[in-house]
Every structure is written in C-alpha cells, then in structure tokens.
Amino acid sequence: MKMLTRLPFFRSKAPADVPGEALGGSSGGVPAESTTIQIDNLREKFGRFRILIIGRANAGKTTILKQICNSTEDPEVYDGSGKKVDLAQIEGTTDRGIHNIENELVFRSNPNFIFHDSQGFEAGSIEEFEEMKDFVSDRANTTFLKKRIHAIWYCIPMDQYHRAVLAAEEKFFDECDTGNVPVVLVLTKCDALLLQGLAALTLEEQKLPREERLVRGQQNADSMLKNNPVWGKVKSMKYKPTAKVELRDLDRSDEGCKLLIEMTMRALDGEALQMLLVTAQHTNIMLCIEFAMER
C-alpha cells in the first residue's frame, strides 16, 4: 500500500482548551528543547493516546494492536482505577476482547498508547450496545482530559465480504454520536478477497497459466474491494466514518498500519492531538519527519 507523500496539519482547529502559545506553529524552526518541553506538557495535560477499537470477532483487532505497538506479546490489562487485571480470572481470551470496555490494554513495548476493546454488542446485545454508547459519550466529553478517548477504529473483515454490513454496525453508524472523536473504518483481511477473485474466474480464464490466473484473480479482488457494499453503506449513514483504511498482508508488511496511523492523524481535530499521536507511535517514522518539517 503506497504511503501518502504530504500531510496537511490542521492548526486552525486546535481545541479551545489547549493554550495557543504553547502549541501554535511558527514560520521559523522550533528548537529541539522547545519541542521536548511541548511534548512533555502535552503528556502532562492529555496523558497517553487512547483508542477505542471495535469490530466483529476475528476481525484482526489484536493483530493490528500488536503491530502498531511492535509486540508479539499480549497486552497487559488494567481496570479503570489503574489496577492490573488478572487475565486468568476473565472469561475468554484476549483475542476475543476484554470483558469490560472500561479496562485499559497497554503493551509493554509501547506504553504510550492505551486501548479499549469493545466486544459483545457486535453480536446483537442491546445492553452492551448501550454500554458502549455511554462509554463513548462519557470519554469523548469528560473534563478529565487524561481519560478522554482520541480516536475510534471500527474494524470490519473483508473475508466476510458476503455478510456486508451487520445490524450492529448499522446501529453504530446510525445512532452513536462520537462528537469530535474521529471514527476510522478499518477494512481488514483485504487479501482474503483474492480467493474470491479466483473463484470468480470464468471457465476460459481457469485454463490460463497459473501466473495469469493470479493476475486475473487479483483484478477481480480489487474490483470487489473498490465496489464493496460496506463503505457504500456506512458513508451514507447519519454518523459516517471520518476516514477509511484498507489493510492486507499484516503478517508480512507493516505498511497498512503505517497508513492507519497516518489517516488517524489526519482525522484528529487540532495540532495538539496530532502531536500526541505522532510522538506516541513508533511505526511510521516518515510521519515524525513530516510533522517536524511542518513545524
């Protein structure tokens, strides 16, 4: 997946509660020690970068988080008061999500992120959907800035392409007002469409040499992705996503996660949160360079 070459930084939309003099960009260079002070001040004010990740079972959420944090280990889990949770006492596994949306997932390889994993309502639970809505509303608007969520990643796997948009997903994009918190629609497992693309080959195409069959199959897969019903459906809903990212081959490349970080940063409202994300992530070094150059 090709990286974008230039990024606009939305300085004019800085949050009202962020001092302009501390974060405003100037036309000249910013001394390194000044930037360090600003970063320290940001983390003192906002804490770590918080992301709520939502999605169907087996959507690849854990894989994404591990790659973002460059980890092969499962995250450590803390309750809302900061007490470490004993995973042995929680039903299910980390791959299926942590039982309580209030719990904080932190990877030792990069503790600059805090993740919250929503699970349950995707299966149609009205009670858990309402709990998720309350969580989003509370964490998007709380005056305790260190507890605010800064972005939402909604993951839908393309290996379930035939299922299109589930009722729970329609309910989220129709009813869940996230305020100023951007929602990035993450289409995962896009590489799985190749099998469907190959299955769509005509009888004549199936007689072609293997390499040509793969090319034709990939062309079919690309067409399926371009015209997939998921994006067409959710972008017409009341609370449509701010951005869309297509992920593939996560087990072989980190380009998709680099783009996910980049598109999330583009969607953030204000330079303060952009800087908080850029300095938290270790995946996209070019993003750090771009940000430094813009300042």
Side-chain angles (χ1 to χ4, degrees):
M1 190 173 291
K2 185 177 180 181
M3 287 294 297
L4 303 177
T5 56
R6 204 62 174 162
L7 298 172
F9 295 106
F10 312 113
R11 292 178 182 157
S12 61
K13 297 171 66 178
D17 56 355
V18 178
E21 62 274 17
L23 300 168
S26 63
S27 58
V30 179
E33 59 271 22
S34 175
T35 301
T36 301
I37 291 172
Q38 289 184 24
I39 294 171
D40 289 343
N41 289 343
L42 270 178
R43 290 178 178 164
E44 177 63 28
K45 187 178 184 70
F46 293 103
R48 291 174 282 180
F49 197 88
R50 276 181 197 268
I51 297 172
L52 169 62
I53 188 164
I54 303 174
R56 307 173 190 176
N58 300 315
K61 294 181 292 181
T62 302
T63 300
I64 292 171
L65 300 188
K66 285 183 176 180
Q67 191 169 106
I68 290 292
C69 293
N70 192 27
S71 177
T72 59
E73 300 178 351
D74 287 335
E76 295 179 333
V77 183
Y78 299 85
D79 64 19
S81 64
K83 181 180 178 182
K84 192 171 182 178
V85 176
D86 183 359
L87 293 181
Q89 298 178 4
I90 298 179
E91 294 181 4
T93 67
T94 304
D95 290 313
R96 294 179 181 173
I98 304 304
H99 185 67
N100 190 340
I101 193 173
E102 295 282 348
N103 284 345
E104 302 175 347
L105 283 62
V106 179
F107 288 87
R108 285 184 292 179
S109 57
N110 188 349
N112 294 325
F113 284 104
I114 294 177
F115 300 101
H116 295 270
D117 184 4
S118 170
Q119 55 84 48
F121 86 88
E122 296 91 346
S125 168
I126 295 177
E127 180 181 354
E128 288 178 322
F129 178 79
E130 293 301 324
E131 289 178 359
M132 182 277 302
K133 278 182 63 177
D134 290 343
F135 174 84
V136 169
S137 177
D138 176 62
R139 294 303 188 94
N141 300 294
T142 178
T143 56
F144 186 23
L145 298 184
K146 291 185 178 181
K147 286 291 186 179
R148 281 189 184 177
I149 55 172
H150 305 118
I152 297 172
W153 292 342
Y154 203 116
C155 303
I156 299 179
M158 289 293 96
D159 63 342
Q160 300 174 18
Y161 179 85
H162 60 286
R163 296 175 64 184
V165 180
L166 302 183
E169 292 154 358
E170 288 193 36
K171 192 174 179 67
F172 176 87
F173 291 108
D174 264 339
E175 299 182 20
C176 193
D177 183 1
T178 64
N180 291 325
V181 178
V183 178
V184 179
L185 179 65
V186 186
L187 302 181
T188 66
K189 303 185 179 181
C190 292
D191 43 310
L193 288 177
L194 176 58
L195 292 177
Q196 298 182 46
L198 290 171
L201 293 177
T202 65
L203 290 176
E204 289 300 315
E205 288 175 322
Q206 291 174 17
K207 298 176 183 178
L208 294 171
R210 180 177 182 277
E211 290 302 318
E212 183 62 24
R213 292 200 308 272
L214 287 174
V215 170
R216 299 286 183 93
Q218 188 60 59
Q219 290 172 346
N220 288 342
D222 292 342
S223 178
M224 290 176 182
L225 186 59
K226 180 179 180 180
N227 299 303
N228 80 82
V230 173
W231 179 240
K233 181 76 173 179
V234 300
K235 72 179 181 181
S236 65
M237 293 182 176
K238 184 176 181 180
Y239 300 111
K240 61 185 178 181
T242 312
K244 170 175 69 77
V245 174
E246 300 164 359
L247 301 185
R248 67 185 81 223
D249 300 321
L250 287 183
D251 56 335
R252 296 192 294 272
S253 171
D254 64 354
E255 288 301 306
C257 283
K258 287 181 180 179
L259 186 59
L260 176 56
I261 289 291
E262 182 173 344
M263 295 304 290
T264 302
M265 197 221 64
R266 281 177 176 265
L268 291 171
D269 189 5
E271 186 180 350
L273 294 181
Q274 290 178 343
M275 181 183 286
L276 190 66
L277 174 57
V278 168
T279 57
Q281 60 89 35
H282 301 157
T283 303
N284 194 335
I285 303 303
M286 288 303 299
L287 196 59
C288 297
I289 296 172
E290 289 278 355
F291 195 87
M293 290 176 62
E294 287 292 326
R295 293 181 60 78

